[in-house]
Amino acid sequence: MVETGKTIAFFGVGQMGAPMIARLAAAGHQVRAWNRTPDKARAVAGENVQAVEDPRAAVDGADIAISILSDGGAVLSLVKDNDLAGTMSEGGAFIDMSSTRPEEARELAEILAGGGVGFCDAPVSGGPPGAEAGTLAIMAGCDEALFERIAPVLSAMGRPTRLGPVGTGQLAKLANQLIVGAAIGAVAEAVLLVREGGGDVEAFRDALTGGYADSKVLQMHGGRMAAGDFAPRGRAALHRKDFRNILDEAEKLGLSLPMGDMLFARFARLCDELGGADLDHCALFLELLDTNKKP
């Protein structure tokens, strides 16, 4: 499905953006990389990748713009403050791969439509390893015609799936984050239970391989919990933000999500009380350890 030869403006050169740019460049696309900190964009410049300092210059004449920023507010600011709707070519496409709120995706679509630019919210799951391998799960919200047009480009970074109209990609990502957060919480408790009971955590993870309880969270994050490795791959503060968005969306839909409430409280405690905002989200294990402190 990979298509070559597109000119792509790419906004956000972080842990996810940098390897995604590399995948696009390797597929033959011409990428114009922009980051709020220009040095990060310069660091990825090379074959098929040009660093630019002006967002408007990045999208001028580009076929597609892609953003992966910290939150919806950052994407909206980028688009509004630089009049990207008026700068992009009519008929172009803007793909936001950040984790935002569904309502922010719909607002972006409305703004860009004013300039004749199509919009797709396409958040991802898989973290930096998935970005590097080009195996990201890509959850797209847009009309079918636009999806067919951008799917070859998205396929250079992973496996795109259309969920429905604009906003449904972000809704799927919120659901994804609910599952991941719940899995991290369950794995943390399982690791603690086995460790405190005298079991070998590595042997425990090996024993569960291939069973119903096996998962990437168990194998990757479980190992990191046991090793005390909480260097950030996916920051706890971002997962706290995701849970706030999950609960806000549930409230709009008239839904009660008891597990979501509990996990939001735990991530908030990790970030705000225990100073873990910049640790990896698997540092929820540290919040559990603090809860189980002996008097």
Side-chain angles (χ1 to χ4, degrees):
M1 274 183 85
V2 175
E3 179 179 312
T4 59
K6 297 294 185 185
T7 299
I8 300 172
F10 198 104
F11 299 105
V13 190
Q15 284 187 313
M16 294 295 292
M20 291 164 75
I21 287 169
R23 298 296 306 189
L24 290 167
H29 300 295
Q30 300 297 317
V31 183
R32 300 170 182 170
W34 176 90
N35 197 75
R36 184 178 58 183
T37 306
D39 284 348
K40 288 189 176 182
R42 295 187 196 110
V44 298
E47 187 175 0
N48 290 347
V49 182
Q50 173 191 3
V52 296
E53 295 189 15
D54 184 348
R56 286 164 291 204
V59 301
D60 186 20
D63 302 297
I64 291 173
I66 296 173
S67 59
I68 183 159
L69 303 178
S70 59
D71 54 37
V75 185
L76 282 163
S77 178
L78 171 74
V79 171
K80 290 178 178 179
D81 294 351
N82 296 284
D83 187 26
L84 297 191
T87 306
M88 288 187 71
S89 301
E90 188 171 349
F94 192 106
I95 306 167
D96 180 35
M97 305 185 81
S98 319
S99 294
T100 75
R101 299 178 180 180
E103 66 190 49
E104 290 170 323
R106 290 188 285 269
E107 183 177 354
L108 282 163
E110 184 177 351
I111 292 167
L112 290 158
V117 178
F119 176 80
C120 180
D121 52 302
V124 300
S125 182
E132 290 164 9
T135 57
L136 292 170
I138 303 172
M139 297 155 268
C142 60
D143 64 54
E144 291 185 26
L146 180 60
F147 180 74
E148 291 301 316
R149 184 151 60 91
I150 64 176
V153 170
L154 293 175
S155 293
M157 299 176 284
R159 184 176 61 85
T161 303
R162 178 180 175 270
L163 276 297
V166 167
T168 56
Q170 294 298 349
L171 191 63
K173 178 60 187 286
L174 292 179
N176 176 88
Q177 293 303 85
L178 177 58
I179 293 170
V180 171
I184 289 173
V187 166
E189 294 187 12
V191 167
L192 182 63
L193 184 67
V194 169
R195 190 182 77 177
E196 294 303 302
D200 183 320
V201 173
E202 186 173 348
F204 165 69
R205 288 165 45 234
D206 184 59
L208 267 59
T209 300
Y212 283 154
D214 195 14
S215 68
K216 287 185 178 179
V217 171
L218 172 65
Q219 297 303 337
M220 294 175 64
H221 291 324
R224 296 182 66 199
M225 291 172 190
D229 174 13
F230 304 111
R233 276 79 159 182
R235 290 172 54 236
L238 294 179
H239 217 131
R240 175 188 56 183
K241 174 208 74 174
D242 289 337
F243 268 104
R244 180 69 274 162
N245 290 344
I246 288 165
L247 296 177
D248 286 348
E249 196 65 23
E251 184 177 4
K252 289 172 190 170
L253 296 170
L255 301 175
S256 173
L257 302 179
M259 189 175 294
D261 285 325
M262 178 269 290
L263 287 165
F264 173 69
R266 290 189 60 197
F267 272 105
R269 182 168 180 266
L270 170 64
C271 294
D272 301 332
E273 295 181 28
L274 303 180
D278 290 326
L279 298 178
D280 192 82
H281 53 181
C282 72
L284 196 65
F285 186 64
L286 297 178
E287 190 273 342
L288 180 66
L289 291 180
D290 187 76
T291 297
N292 281 276
K293 267 199 235 178
K294 302 291 192 291

